[in-house]
Amino acid sequence: MSSPVLPYRIFPLGDAAITVDFGNVIDEQINKEVIARFHELREHPIPGMTEVVPAYSSFTVYYDILSVIRIAGNNAIAFEWMKQQLEIRLQQPASEGPTGLLRRVLTDRYQEMNERLVKIPVCYEDEFALDIRRVAGAKNISVEELVQIHTAKIYKVYMLGFLPGFAYMGETDEKIAVPRKPQPVSIAAGSVGIAGRQTGIYPLASPGGWQIIGRTALKLFDAEKSEPTLLHAGDMVQFYSISKKEFNEISAAEL
């Protein structure tokens, strides 16, 4: 039996984009719906669509205005036509509808993708974990316990954003949840941080406000690769602790 259609609202995002929002929440079931719709639209795009981008509880469709008007007719308003097309799609659960067989195949593929587990090696030593002692102190736990808690859980990649390949993952255990810093600081590529109940990895050196508790030597973003981002929305991630020696070995292999 398919799940019911989730409530949503549709609104424009600038002149050439339209957002479908299922609610301003972090919810795994809602995110599964977002990811399913995202892959469905990539496999079976609306005419005139140029890109679709998923977020925690929404997705945004970008479109070419002139192409949409040519398809819909000169008197059409591009946003209204795109909204109508999305409404038609959204009236059916992602696994059903006129193209039922295609949708069932795609849904199976989404489930397989959602189950992809990526294991990320992280060095939690002080040199790479600029805030780990402060976070441990604030939560009244040892650094060792903090590392154990962070590595014990499997996290879902809810969305990519902020930087190319930056994966927003959740949710962290409340025992290590801490607010972001009041002011951004310079953060090295590969840094693993916590912000509230989220954890994430900086794919590039950048100013940022997450509390840094470790670093991975893996490249999260490589523009030279056909698949430039290591992680994708819907992936599952598990961190595991490594020594500085192992970090350096992985770093050398990544060059």
Side-chain angles (χ1 to χ4, degrees):
M1 179 179 295
S2 59
S3 59
V5 178
L6 295 173
Y8 60 86
R9 64 190 183 99
I10 298 178
F11 54 88
L13 188 67
D15 295 331
I18 183 169
T19 295
V20 178
D21 182 25
F22 296 98
N24 187 24
V25 294
I26 299 177
D27 181 278
E28 187 169 353
Q29 288 304 118
I30 289 176
N31 189 251
K32 284 182 179 179
E33 176 78 8
V34 168
I35 299 304
R37 299 291 182 180
F38 161 69
H39 286 293
E40 181 184 32
L41 283 165
R42 290 193 68 180
E43 294 274 353
H44 200 55
I46 295 171
M49 188 186 97
T50 59
E51 187 180 9
V52 57
V53 178
Y56 272 109
S57 56
S58 66
F59 64 88
T60 297
V61 172
Y62 293 84
Y63 54 89
D64 181 272
I65 296 175
L66 295 180
S67 295
V68 171
I69 290 175
R70 281 196 296 269
I71 296 163
N74 290 332
N75 294 326
I77 298 173
F79 167 77
E80 292 296 337
W81 189 84
M82 289 297 293
K83 180 179 179 182
Q84 182 183 50
Q85 301 306 306
L86 283 169
E87 290 277 10
I88 293 170
R89 298 286 187 95
L90 291 165
Q91 288 311 303
Q92 296 289 335
S95 60
E96 296 185 355
T99 55
L101 177 59
L102 171 63
R103 289 179 182 227
R104 284 194 293 274
V105 170
L106 292 177
T107 300
D108 290 342
R109 191 178 306 171
Y110 308 153
Q111 291 172 348
E112 289 173 5
M113 293 182 70
N114 285 342
E115 292 171 358
R116 188 177 83 123
L117 177 62
V118 182
K119 295 189 176 183
I120 305 289
V122 177
C123 183
Y124 293 92
E125 295 184 21
D126 287 354
E127 179 180 346
F128 304 121
L130 305 181
D131 304 308
I132 195 166
R133 294 192 177 277
R134 181 164 58 250
V135 172
K139 304 303 288 188
N140 197 31
I141 58 177
S142 68
V143 168
E144 292 74 20
E145 187 176 358
L146 189 155
V147 172
Q148 190 278 325
I149 293 171
H150 189 250
T151 55
K153 194 165 186 178
I154 294 176
Y155 302 94
K156 180 177 181 178
V157 178
Y158 280 96
M159 61 174 282
L160 302 183
F162 169 50
L163 293 168
F166 188 104
Y168 289 83
M169 294 175 271
E171 294 183 280
T172 61
D173 193 301
E174 185 63 46
K175 294 177 182 178
I176 59 172
V178 285
R180 64 175 64 227
K181 298 171 183 175
Q183 297 294 332
V185 298
S186 296
I187 295 179
S191 293
V192 177
I194 294 174
R197 297 293 300 277
Q198 303 172 107
T199 188
I201 311 169
Y202 284 76
L204 305 169
S206 167
W210 291 40
Q211 307 285 351
I212 303 305
I213 62 168
R215 191 184 305 173
T216 182
L218 296 182
K219 286 186 178 180
L220 276 293
F221 177 76
D222 188 342
E224 301 300 318
K225 292 184 176 180
S226 57
E227 194 67 52
T229 60
L230 176 64
L231 300 175
H232 304 91
D235 284 346
M236 307 303 287
V237 171
Q238 185 170 28
F239 299 102
Y240 65 94
S241 180
I242 60 172
S243 66
K244 181 179 177 180
K245 180 176 181 293
E246 291 171 312
F247 177 94
N248 290 333
E249 289 172 350
I250 295 170
S251 183
E254 287 284 285
L255 293 178

